[in-house]
Amino acid sequence: MSTHRRTRTTALVLTAATALALTACSGGDPAATDPAGAARDALPTQDVVAAVGRNEAAVRLLPAEVRERGTLTLAASVGTPPSSAYLPDGKTVVGLDADFAAAVARALGLELKREAAGFEVILPALGSGKYDVGTGNFGVTEERRKTIDFVTYINDGQGFAVRADSPLKSVTDLTQLCGLKVATGAGTTFEQTLEKNRGRCAAAGKEPYEVNVFNEGGAPWLALRQGRSDVVMSTINGIRYAVDRQPGTRFLNEYRRLDVGFAFRKGSALTPAFRAAVNGLKADGTYDRILRKWGVTASGIAESRISPPELPAPAR
């Protein structure tokens, strides 16, 4: 296929044996839970939210109907640690997202009803009212803020990884990717960034880069290891986690930072309560315990905010 054309790789249906053999992580297949090639039982399982108490000030900010109902429906994109992954039982979801969601639900005195959903379908489903809230390492962007509200809880962002033998030392300008094959996830800010800047290669008189888009969370890593892609673009935390567990790969560099938040339909009345709950977790120490558990203390934020402006992209 010409590098001028964008390649979309759809989600594959894998047997459990094949998924484990490929050590690929799937957002929809509980059998394929580790994109980094690490054993699933290596995921931390200590309970750091059990002691979270009811935050009465935050509870008072909930809509009356939600307090009376006592439940929240949450759509979770499950696939890439440390954000989210399945334990070996194929049912239990762990990760940053799961811990923060559970802690906020406890603070608000609500029962959390979690449903696994594909990353690319969650935001549209929120707009239709199917779910109350979504998680999936959703970065806050100006485009998303037009239709979605966010309550921030960490700062992550965009980064790159390559095979250990790659001549690339860093990617500080996307024209450094010209002529290469870049693997990334469907419906992500990475896909949007790459597509938005694709024309810069031609403007610089260079061969365009090819964007290989995958629905399977571990598929970009498999493509990288097999030489079908030259670079992976993904979350900073996810890349660091993966390369620590995959021989023959290396973290290249951070490209840009983005705030990450719980996602809601535009105008949701839940956002003030969620913000108060997250800030309460910071005050009682739970917030820092969650970050330490997953090894991402550098992703801490000073305070939770509702739909803050997108952090500026690198000047080029």
Side-chain angles (χ1 to χ4, degrees):
M1 179 174 290
S2 167
T3 55
H4 291 268
R5 298 177 62 186
R6 173 172 170 269
T7 302
R8 175 174 290 273
T9 302
T10 56
L12 302 176
V13 179
L14 302 176
T15 65
T18 302
L20 288 173
L22 296 178
T23 63
C25 171
S26 164
D29 180 2
T33 61
D34 192 351
R40 286 177 287 166
D41 59 7
L43 291 166
T45 58
Q46 65 267 35
D47 191 341
V48 293
V49 305
V52 174
R54 186 180 171 97
N55 183 331
E56 295 297 343
V59 171
R60 287 194 292 271
L61 296 174
L62 285 170
E65 62 178 290
V66 176
R67 287 199 303 270
E68 294 169 5
R69 187 176 71 211
T71 61
L72 276 177
T73 57
L74 180 142
S77 173
V78 183
T80 53
S83 291
S84 60
Y86 287 102
L87 289 182
D89 63 10
K91 301 176 183 178
T92 305
V93 178
V94 297
L96 271 173
D97 292 346
D99 280 346
F100 275 116
V104 167
R106 290 182 67 89
L108 295 177
L110 298 173
E111 177 188 353
L112 198 61
K113 295 186 175 181
R114 181 187 288 112
E115 179 178 324
F119 180 93
E120 69 278 8
V121 304
I122 291 178
L123 298 186
L126 291 171
S128 71
K130 183 176 181 179
Y131 304 107
D132 295 314
V133 58
T135 58
N137 203 281
F138 290 113
V140 181
T141 67
E142 293 306 313
E143 185 64 28
R144 286 176 174 168
R145 290 203 317 153
K146 295 175 182 177
T147 56
I148 296 292
D149 281 340
F150 295 92
V151 172
T152 59
Y153 57 94
I154 60 168
N155 175 275
D156 194 350
Q158 303 176 338
F160 295 97
V162 292
R163 291 184 300 278
D165 61 357
S166 171
L168 277 176
K169 302 301 180 185
S170 66
V171 176
T172 57
D173 190 298
L174 294 181
T175 57
Q176 292 170 269
L177 299 174
C178 296
L180 301 179
K181 297 178 181 180
V182 187
T184 196
T188 62
T189 60
F190 321 115
E191 180 185 10
Q192 294 166 6
T193 296
L194 290 166
E195 293 294 350
K196 180 179 179 181
N197 290 277
R198 180 190 291 275
R200 293 179 58 200
C201 290
K206 299 180 179 181
E207 183 76 7
Y209 51 73
E210 179 179 305
V211 185
N212 296 321
V213 182
F214 299 88
N215 289 333
E216 292 286 328
W221 293 98
L222 184 60
L224 179 70
R225 293 197 303 271
Q226 293 181 338
R228 292 182 287 111
S229 292
D230 303 299
V231 184
V232 167
M233 187 178 187
S234 189
T235 66
I236 294 167
N237 289 338
I239 288 177
R240 289 190 184 278
Y241 184 97
V243 299
D244 282 348
R245 292 157 178 81
Q246 286 194 91
T249 63
R250 60 183 169 88
F251 180 79
L252 205 55
N253 62 285
E254 295 185 10
Y255 179 68
R256 67 174 300 192
R257 284 273 174 174
L258 286 171
D259 288 320
V260 171
F262 293 104
F264 305 83
R265 65 173 175 80
K266 194 70 178 175
S268 172
L270 291 169
T271 56
F274 264 70
R275 176 180 58 182
V278 174
N279 286 330
L281 298 176
K282 287 188 64 66
D284 70 18
T286 302
Y287 184 90
D288 289 336
R289 286 193 290 274
I290 294 174
L291 295 186
R292 287 195 299 269
K293 172 182 175 179
W294 294 102
V296 293
T297 54
S299 281
I301 57 176
E303 65 173 346
S304 177
R305 295 192 292 167
I306 297 174
S307 297
E310 178 181 349
L311 294 177
R316 297 289 180 260

